[in-house]
C-alpha cells in the first residue's frame, strides 16, 4: 500500500509541475522524474543554488527550466518551508552516490527530489576512454603490492580489487594529477572511493583543473561521512578548459593522510 501511494504522489507532483509551467514552454514531465521523498544530505551533496518562492508551483516553474539550462545541474530538490513559502535547490557542485546506487538523503522532512532524465544528463558530455592518451602522476606510491600503480585509476576498470587500485603513502597533502590529451572543456569528474577498510580516508579533497599555468577549482569534498565504495561526482564550471586535472587531500597541520582510489573518470563537455 505504501509503495502504491508513493507512485500515485509522484504522478500528482509531476502533473502539478506541468500545469504550473507556462503553456509557452516545453512540459518537463518527460525531462524530470521524482526520485525520492526527502532532502539532499548536507554532508553528502553541495547544492549549486537556492531559490525561494510563494508556492510549490512557482519554484517548479522557476527551477526546472533553470536546471535544464545549467550544465552542472542534474536534479532539483523541492521543499515546503511553510504554507506561503517553498524552496528549490539545484544539485550539485558535487554529490555522493552510495555503493548500492542510492543518492544520500534526509528522509524525514517535507522535501522531494526530482532527477533530470538520464538522456538529458548524458547528452551533456562524454567520458574520455582508457585509450584516450591519458596519463597520471602522483605524489607517492604505497608499496602495497607490485600492481599498485597510479595508472590503475585510468584503466577503465571501476571494480575495486587489490590488483587494480592506487594508494599514496601516508603523507601530508597527497595528490594525483591526470594529464589530458590536449586542451578540453571538463564537464564531470567521478572518483571511485577505496575499500579494504581505508575508504574513510577520502577527506578534504580538492579537485582542480589547470590550463596555461592558470588553476581553478572544480569542487571541494569535505568527506565528513565518507564511506567505502562511494562514487563522488564533481560537476565543473561551464568554461572549465583544462590540460590537467588534479586531486589533492588538504591535510591539517601536522596531519598525515593517504589518497586511495579505484578509478577516476573524466568527462568532456559534449
Amino acid at each position: 500500500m505504501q509503495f502504491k501511494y508513493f507512485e500515485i504522489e509522484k504522478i500528482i507532483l509531476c502533473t502539478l509541475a506541468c500545469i504550473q509551467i507556462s503553456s509557452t514552454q516545453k512540459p518537463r514531465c518527460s525531462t524530470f522524474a521524482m526520485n525520492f521523498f526527502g532532502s539532499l544530505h548536507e554532508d553528502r551533496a553541495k547544492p549549486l543554488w537556492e531559490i525561494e518562492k510563494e508556492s510549490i508551483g512557482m519554484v517548479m516553474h522557476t527551477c526546472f527550466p533553470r536546471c535544464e539550462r545549467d550544465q552542472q545541474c542534474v536534479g532539483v530538490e523541492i521543499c515546503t518551508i511553510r504554507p506561503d513559502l517553498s524552496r528549490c535547490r539545484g544539485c550539485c557542485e558535487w554529490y555522493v552516490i552510495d555503493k548500492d546506487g542510492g543518492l544520500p538523503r534526509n528522509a524525514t522532512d517535507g522535501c522531494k527530489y526530482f532527477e533530470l532524465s538520464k538522456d538529458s544528463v548524458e547528452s551533456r558530455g562524454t567520458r574520455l576512454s582508457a585509450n584516450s592518451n591519458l596519463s597520471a602522476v602522483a605524489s607517492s606510491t604505497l608499496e602495497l603490492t607490485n600492481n599498485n600503480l597510479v595508472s590503475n585509476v585510468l584503466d577503465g576498470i571501476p571494480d575495486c580489487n587489490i590488483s587494480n587500485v592506487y594508494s599514496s603513502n601516508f603523507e601530508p597533502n597527497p595528490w594525483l594529477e591526470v594529464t589530458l590529451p590536449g586542451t578540453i572543456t571538463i564537464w564531470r569528474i567521478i572518483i571511485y572511493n577505496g575499500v579494504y577498510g581505508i575508504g574513510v580516508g577520502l577527506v578534504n579533497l580538492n579537485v582542480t583543473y589547470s590550463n596555461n599555468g592558470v588553476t581553478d577549482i572544480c569542487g571541494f569534498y569535505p568527506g565528513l561521512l565518507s564511506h567505502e565504495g562511494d562514487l563522488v561526482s564533481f560537476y565543473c564550471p561551464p568554461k572549465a578548459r583544462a590540460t590537467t586535472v588534479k586531486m589533492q587531500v588538504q591535510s591539517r597541520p601536522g596531519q598525515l593522510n593517504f589518497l586511495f582510489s579505484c578509478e577516476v573518470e573524466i568527462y568532456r563537455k559534449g
Side-chain angles (χ1 to χ4, degrees):
M1 180 64 70
Q2 185 177 6
F3 175 77
K4 185 176 180 180
Y5 172 78
F6 176 81
E7 292 299 317
I8 292 173
E9 183 163 352
K10 285 173 66 176
I11 294 171
I12 293 172
L13 285 165
C14 193
T15 302
L16 174 63
C18 286
I19 292 173
Q20 294 292 339
I21 294 173
S22 70
S23 60
T24 59
Q25 295 178 310
K26 177 183 175 183
R28 264 69 187 180
C29 282
S30 60
T31 308
F32 286 88
M34 186 175 158
N35 186 281
F36 60 79
F37 290 93
S39 61
L40 296 167
H41 199 296
E42 298 294 339
D43 293 327
R44 307 276 280 171
K46 184 179 180 181
L48 294 162
W49 36 261
E50 179 178 318
I51 297 173
E52 293 184 346
K53 295 288 184 180
E54 291 79 8
S55 69
I56 287 287
M58 291 183 70
V59 291
M60 286 179 168
H61 174 85
T62 302
C63 297
F64 281 8
R66 176 168 177 173
C67 185
E68 286 186 300
R69 295 190 302 267
D70 189 336
Q71 291 293 301
Q72 292 176 276
C73 186
V74 295
V76 176
E77 173 203 85
I78 304 287
C79 300
T80 300
I81 308 301
R82 58 177 190 259
D84 63 341
L85 183 64
S86 296
R87 182 194 73 198
C88 67
R89 296 194 296 178
C91 179
C92 287
E93 179 181 306
W94 57 262
Y95 67 88
V96 181
I97 298 176
D98 291 329
K99 61 183 178 181
D100 62 0
L103 189 65
R105 77 217 48 182
N106 295 312
T108 58
D109 52 28
C111 301
K112 300 165 185 68
Y113 181 74
F114 292 83
E115 191 171 54
L116 196 59
S117 71
K118 184 178 179 181
D119 288 344
S120 296
V121 173
E122 292 185 350
S123 68
R124 295 176 174 177
T126 55
R127 180 187 171 189
L128 297 177
S129 64
N131 57 2
S132 297
N133 294 321
L134 297 168
S135 62
V137 293
S139 54
S140 66
T141 300
L142 178 66
E143 294 183 6
L144 185 65
T145 69
N146 292 332
N147 295 322
N148 182 32
L149 307 173
V150 66
S151 59
N152 287 341
V153 300
L154 302 174
D155 61 10
I157 305 173
D159 295 332
C160 205
N161 62 67
I162 200 67
S163 66
N164 66 341
V165 299
Y166 162 74
S167 178
S168 71
N169 284 316
F170 206 48
E171 62 183 359
N173 307 306
W175 56 266
L176 184 158
E177 185 174 75
V178 177
T179 299
L180 308 173
T183 303
I184 66 173
T185 301
I186 303 295
W187 168 53
R188 175 171 69 179
I189 300 168
I190 301 178
I191 299 174
Y192 288 68
N193 194 12
V195 291
Y196 307 115
I198 56 177
V200 294
L202 192 64
V203 296
N204 297 327
L205 184 70
N206 201 34
V207 179
T208 58
Y209 58 93
S210 298
N211 186 30
N212 293 327
V214 178
T215 299
D216 290 293
I217 187 168
C218 179
F220 177 78
Y221 171 59
L224 298 178
L225 294 177
S226 190
H227 300 155
E228 292 186 5
D230 283 345
L231 274 65
V232 188
S233 292
F234 294 85
Y235 290 87
C236 297
K239 297 181 180 179
R241 299 279 290 169
T243 55
T244 61
V245 171
K246 187 174 184 178
M247 290 138 275
Q248 183 168 25
V249 175
Q250 295 186 341
S251 302
R252 296 176 180 175
Q255 186 179 49
L256 301 179
N257 295 90
F258 52 81
L259 179 58
F260 185 97
S261 180
C262 302
E263 189 75 10
V264 175
E265 295 180 354
I266 298 174
Y267 293 73
R268 68 188 308 160
K269 187 176 178 181

